[in-house]
């Protein structure tokens, strides 16, 4: 990134890093150092390869460069060209040094969009890589710069970020910066099964079309509607069929068109009257027998309440799934699935007092346990005489038995007190764990409804 001075983001590949994490996120002398798994080195068509985007976009927000230079285009960095360009920056990229995707592949389509968005491209320096790029993208070959300096000269004069008043805030920055595409992909993957058997699915407020990609991979035809122009351009560049429009206006003109509608994280952007209108229009746009799935932040999720909801600058309020289900029934849609009932969750009471008597100490062993001796000490002349011949009298055996009986009784009483304390501790743990399980509840609520045939 270049502006008044230079800011660098160094991305390296490290097999010790988790496949779905970014490691070693350090700011070292003006250099942001990131590491990702080598799985993402190749140029692919996978939302999960974009895991470093958030850190890159964060640098854009803070640094606000005049020009972005992507010196090493890989699977993990390719999308940075697209994001930078869609946020309004001139982006220069170096010819990729890794193998180019085969013709006709989705990865080739994704790379072609990146190449089209780049403000300038300069040679890699590896003859084979440069020849392959010119043959793959002949339209860009004549303008291929011989060096980074030559590519920069082609951008002169560089607009000043500060003087032009450009910023990278707003919803586009949230969509590209705070949303983790890979995480969204993995979170939504299990939801695609709700649309098995559908022939035409619409995603309402589809954003960058992550779920549409999941449906396409499942063989389900899908399209989306989205009002944010940067997100629309992003999704179209990846080959998805997206309509740029207000979702409610679009639904109003789509009577009976779709047999599946996916509405994820949209209701929380609307007030109650808006949600009621949305559900009414979804019922209108569904074919008889069609299914609609609503996904939204679960107000019963502690993590959603504390950690996620207010990251989106346009969130209005939480909606309980019981309320969304009731509103759907009011518009003639039959409930089929409710995530609260599916996961078997139980709301448990939480007492003001701790579930354990903290004053009760762990029982101590008895101060003096009887320790029966053997052989038994003789009592009287007869027992002493018998002892000389190695014989124990019946009376001595009874005394020995009584000593052992007392010993066992004391041990049993001590063991019973220990077991009582263990049971009390186990009960406290179960009580606390039942409450703690609320942290494990899914961040999202899911409601599926169907329009009667």
């Amino acid at each position: 990134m270049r502006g008044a001075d230079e800011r660098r983001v160094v991305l390296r590949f490290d097999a010790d890093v988790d496949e779905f994490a970014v490691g070693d996120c350090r700011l070292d002398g003006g250099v942001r150092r990131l590491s990702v798994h080598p799985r993402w080195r190749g140029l692919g068509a996978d939302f999960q390869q974009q895991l470093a985007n958030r850190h890159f976009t964060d640098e854009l927000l803070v640094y606000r460069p005049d020009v972005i230079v992507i010196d090493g285009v890989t699977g993990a960095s390719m999308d940075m060209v697209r994001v930078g360009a869609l946020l309004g920056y001139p982006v220069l990229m170096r010819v990729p040094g890794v193998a180019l995707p085969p013709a006709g592949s989705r990865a080739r389509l994704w790379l072609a969009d990146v190449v089209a968005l780049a403000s300038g491209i300069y040679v890699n320096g590896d003859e084979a890589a440069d020849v392959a790029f010119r043959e793959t993208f002949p339209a860009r070959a004549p303008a291929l710069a011989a060096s980074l300096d030559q590519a920069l000269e082609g951008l002169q004069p560089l607009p000043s970020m500060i003087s032009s008043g450009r910023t990278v805030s707003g919803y586009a920055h949230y969509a590209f910066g705070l949303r983790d595409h890979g995480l969204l992909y993995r979170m939504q993957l299990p939801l695609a099964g709700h649309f098995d058997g559908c022939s035409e699915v619409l995603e309402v407020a589809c954003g960058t079309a992550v779920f549409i990609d999941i449906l396409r991979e499942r063989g389900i035809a899908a399209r989306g509607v989205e009002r944010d122009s940067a997100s629309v351009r992003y999704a179209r560049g990846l080959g998805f069929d997206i309509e740029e429009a207000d979702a409610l206006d679009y639904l109003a003109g789509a009577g009976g068109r779709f047999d599946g509608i996916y509405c994820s994280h949209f209701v929380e952007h609307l007030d109650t009257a808006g949600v009621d209108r949305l559900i009414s229009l979804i019922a209108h746009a569904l074919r008889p027998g069609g299914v609609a799935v609503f996904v939204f932040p679960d107000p019963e999720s502690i993590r959603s309440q504390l950690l996620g909801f207010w990251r989106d600058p346009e969130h209005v309020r939480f909606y309980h799934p019981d309320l969304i289900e009731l509103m759907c029934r009011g518009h003639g849609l039959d409930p089929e699935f409710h995530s609260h009932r599916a996961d078997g969750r139980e709301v448990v009471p939480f007492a003001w007092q701790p579930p354990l008597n903290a004053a009760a100490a762990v029982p101590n062993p008895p101060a003096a346990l009887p320790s029966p001796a053997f052989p038994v000490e003789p009592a009287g002349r007869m027992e002493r005489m018998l002892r000389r011949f190695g014989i124990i009298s019946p009376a001595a055996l009874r005394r020995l038995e009584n000593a052992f009986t007392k010993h066992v009784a004391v041990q049993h009483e001590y063991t019973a007190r220990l077991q009582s304390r263990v049971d009390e501790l186990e009960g406290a743990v179960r009580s606390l764990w039942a409450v703690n399980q609320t942290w494990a509840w899914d961040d999202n609520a899911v409601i599926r409804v169907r329009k009667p045939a």
Side-chain angles (χ1 to χ4, degrees), residues 213-264:
D213 184 46
I214 294 172
L215 291 178
R216 292 271 184 95
E217 290 180 350
R218 205 177 178 94
I220 300 172
R223 58 182 297 144
V225 57
E226 170 61 48
R227 65 174 174 82
D228 180 67
S229 58
S231 296
V232 171
R233 171 61 185 85
Y234 183 101
R236 286 176 176 172
L238 303 182
F240 300 114
D241 185 4
I242 310 298
E243 182 78 20
E244 183 175 352
D246 177 84
L248 300 180
D249 292 343
Y250 182 85
L251 287 168
R257 177 174 176 180
F258 301 100
D259 59 357
I261 295 179
Y262 181 65
C263 182
S264 176

Side-chain angles (χ1 to χ4, degrees), residues 355-389:
L356 183 68
N357 182 4
V362 176
N364 293 319
L369 291 175
S371 301
F374 187 85
V376 178
E377 192 67 27
R381 294 173 60 184
M382 179 61 69
E383 288 189 6
R384 286 195 294 271
M385 183 180 66
L386 292 173
R387 181 176 179 180
R388 291 175 184 175
F389 295 99

Side-chain angles (χ1 to χ4, degrees), residues 163-176:
S163 64
S164 66
R166 280 190 296 133
T167 66
V168 291
S169 59
Y171 199 79
H173 177 262
Y174 165 76
F176 299 135

Side-chain angles (χ1 to χ4, degrees), residues 43 70-75 77-78 81 93-98 111:
L43 300 172
I70 307 296
D71 190 56
V73 176
T74 63
S77 64
M78 177 173 68
V81 179
M93 61 172 276
R94 186 181 185 184
V95 167
V98 296
L111 177 60

